[in-house]
Amino acid sequence: AQEFREWADRERTIKDLQDKRLKLLEQVLRKMQKERTRARLCLAVEVLRKMQKERTRADAPITKRDVIAEYADFTSEDLSTFPGLVQLEASLHPSVLRAPEKHPKDMDKKKKSSHQVRKELEMTNALKTAMESIKK
């Protein structure tokens, strides 16, 4: 009788373990099925989006570009609107937008080299001596 009880107890323990394993396997299988279903749905959505793009592309009227007219028209549609100007300003380098620190007339003047300074000094001295000789 003792041996039958021990065998029954072992069988119950084994059955409980098998039931737990079965539940875990069922959960894993459900999870895998959900993931497969989700992947299939994502793929179907992608295919549907591609088909919609192709349909809109096919439904759009086919017009040839008039390249000559595009190059002949020098106007810009974007600069006539405020957002277009903001976009242009954002695309430019910040140094372009900064006002110059020098007056435009002073920007042409460059620092003179020592040779130029020496020549000017010689010229002014020659002019002074010429003026003194004229005055005498």
Side-chain angles (χ1 to χ4, degrees), residues 15-30:
K15 180 135 176 82
D16 289 341
L17 286 174
Q18 286 177 342
D19 287 342
K20 287 181 183 177
R21 285 183 179 173
L22 185 63
K23 286 179 184 177
L24 284 174
L25 283 173
E26 287 175 352
Q27 288 176 351
V28 169
L29 282 174
R30 282 191 205 119

Side-chain angles (χ1 to χ4, degrees), residues 3-4 14 25 41 46 49 55 59 63 66-68 70 79 93 100 105 111 118 121:
E3 195 174 319
F4 282 122
I14 291 172
L25 283 173
L41 287 175
E46 288 178 13
R49 285 182 181 157
R55 177 177 284 157
D59 290 345
T63 55
D66 190 5
V67 178
I68 296 171
E70 287 178 17
L79 296 181
H93 194 269
K105 290 181 183 176
K111 194 171 185 180
R118 194 170 54 249
L121 187 61

Side-chain angles (χ1 to χ4, degrees), residues 6 8 33 52 55 64 66 68 82 86 105 110-111 114 122 130:
E6 287 176 2
Q33 282 179 332
Q52 180 66 27
R55 177 177 284 157
K64 285 185 99 178
D66 190 5
I68 296 171
F82 180 72
V86 170
K105 290 181 183 176
K110 295 181 180 175
K111 194 171 185 180
S114 61
E122 288 177 12

Side-chain angles (χ1 to χ4, degrees), residues 7-136:
W7 276 106
D9 190 35
R10 286 182 190 162
E11 285 179 4
R12 251 186 282 120
T13 308
I14 291 172
K15 180 135 176 82
D16 289 341
L17 286 174
Q18 286 177 342
D19 287 342
K20 287 181 183 177
R21 285 183 179 173
L22 185 63
K23 286 179 184 177
L24 284 174
L25 283 173
E26 287 175 352
Q27 288 176 351
V28 169
L29 282 174
R30 282 191 205 119
K31 189 175 184 180
M32 288 174 59
Q33 282 179 332
K34 285 181 183 179
E35 289 176 5
R36 281 191 207 136
T37 305
R38 187 176 299 127
R40 286 180 187 158
L41 287 175
C42 289
L43 180 65
V45 168
E46 288 178 13
V47 168
L48 288 174
R49 285 182 181 157
K50 285 181 183 179
M51 287 174 54
Q52 180 66 27
K53 283 181 186 178
E54 290 175 11
R55 177 177 284 157
T56 55
R57 195 177 302 133
D59 290 345
I62 300 173
T63 55
K64 285 185 99 178
R65 282 181 53 195
D66 190 5
V67 178
I68 296 171
E70 287 178 17
Y71 280 101
D73 186 19
F74 295 113
T75 60
S76 174
E77 298 94 24
D78 289 344
L79 296 181
S80 61
T81 62
F82 180 72
L85 289 174
V86 170
Q87 182 183 7
L88 175 67
E89 185 177 298
S91 68
L92 293 175
H93 194 269
S95 65
V96 175
L97 300 174
R98 246 183 287 128
E101 296 174 6
K102 296 180 180 179
H103 192 273
K105 290 181 183 176
D106 295 337
M107 292 176 92
D108 290 341
K109 297 178 184 175
K110 295 181 180 175
K111 194 171 185 180
K112 296 179 182 177
S113 66
S114 61
H115 175 73
Q116 289 174 331
V117 172
R118 194 170 54 249
K119 285 291 183 182
E120 284 182 7
L121 187 61
E122 288 177 12
M123 184 62 77
T124 53
N125 285 337
L127 287 174
K128 282 182 186 178
T129 53
M131 192 62 146
E132 287 174 5
S133 64
I134 291 174
K135 286 183 182 178
K136 285 183 184 177

